[in-house]
Amino acid sequence: MSLVEYVAAIEGLASAKVIVGSSVPVIEQVDESLSAAEQYFRFSDGAVITKQSEMDSEERTECDQVCEEVWLKYQVATQPQAETIVPTQKSFTNRCQQSFWIKMQRQQAGAV
């Protein structure tokens, strides 16, 4: 099973994977311009995926916001019993990169 379907579900996109629980996001201010967050998502198949993010909290221009820089990492914390999720982790440097990866992975899998 591909990590892409779990990431899609976490991001609110249509997915065969069902989130049955999640932790409250733990947010910390790393410094005056950088915040970090971590959240766990539990799925109906038993998988647990961790989402970590870091983003600059400084004010941005409209142009910067189109594809703003944000570090995102998804990692398999617990594998489901029936299948193995691959890859076990994936990182992105912005949401445009994440969206493109989801789109391409789904096209390659024939899920679009």
Side-chain angles (χ1 to χ4, degrees):
M1 175 55 62
S2 176
L3 180 60
V4 70
E5 291 305 316
Y6 295 90
V7 172
I10 290 168
E11 295 304 323
L13 302 172
S15 174
K17 298 303 173 185
V18 177
I19 298 172
V20 295
S22 63
S23 66
V24 173
V26 176
I27 301 170
E28 71 175 74
Q29 196 69 32
V30 177
D31 61 33
E32 52 281 337
S33 66
L34 184 67
S35 60
E38 182 173 77
Q39 189 171 11
Y40 293 87
F41 296 86
R42 190 168 32 99
F43 290 82
S44 59
D45 63 3
V48 176
I49 307 294
T50 304
K51 177 184 177 182
Q52 297 173 314
S53 62
E54 288 184 6
M55 73 181 350
D56 192 352
S57 53
E58 290 182 358
E59 221 174 282
R60 303 206 177 287
T61 66
E62 189 175 319
C63 183
D64 290 336
Q65 292 176 359
V66 170
C67 202
E68 72 178 312
E69 185 177 349
V70 58
W71 178 79
L72 300 164
K73 180 180 179 183
Y74 299 88
Q75 185 166 0
V76 178
T78 304
Q79 290 280 2
Q81 291 181 351
E83 301 177 287
T84 300
I85 302 169
V86 291
T88 57
Q89 67 178 18
K90 184 68 181 167
S91 299
F92 305 99
T93 57
N94 60 57
R95 294 204 183 275
C96 294
Q97 185 185 43
Q98 174 192 32
S99 295
F100 182 75
W101 178 76
I102 291 170
K103 179 180 177 180
M104 295 308 296
Q105 293 296 308
R106 287 180 151 186
Q107 282 182 350
Q108 289 175 359
V112 172

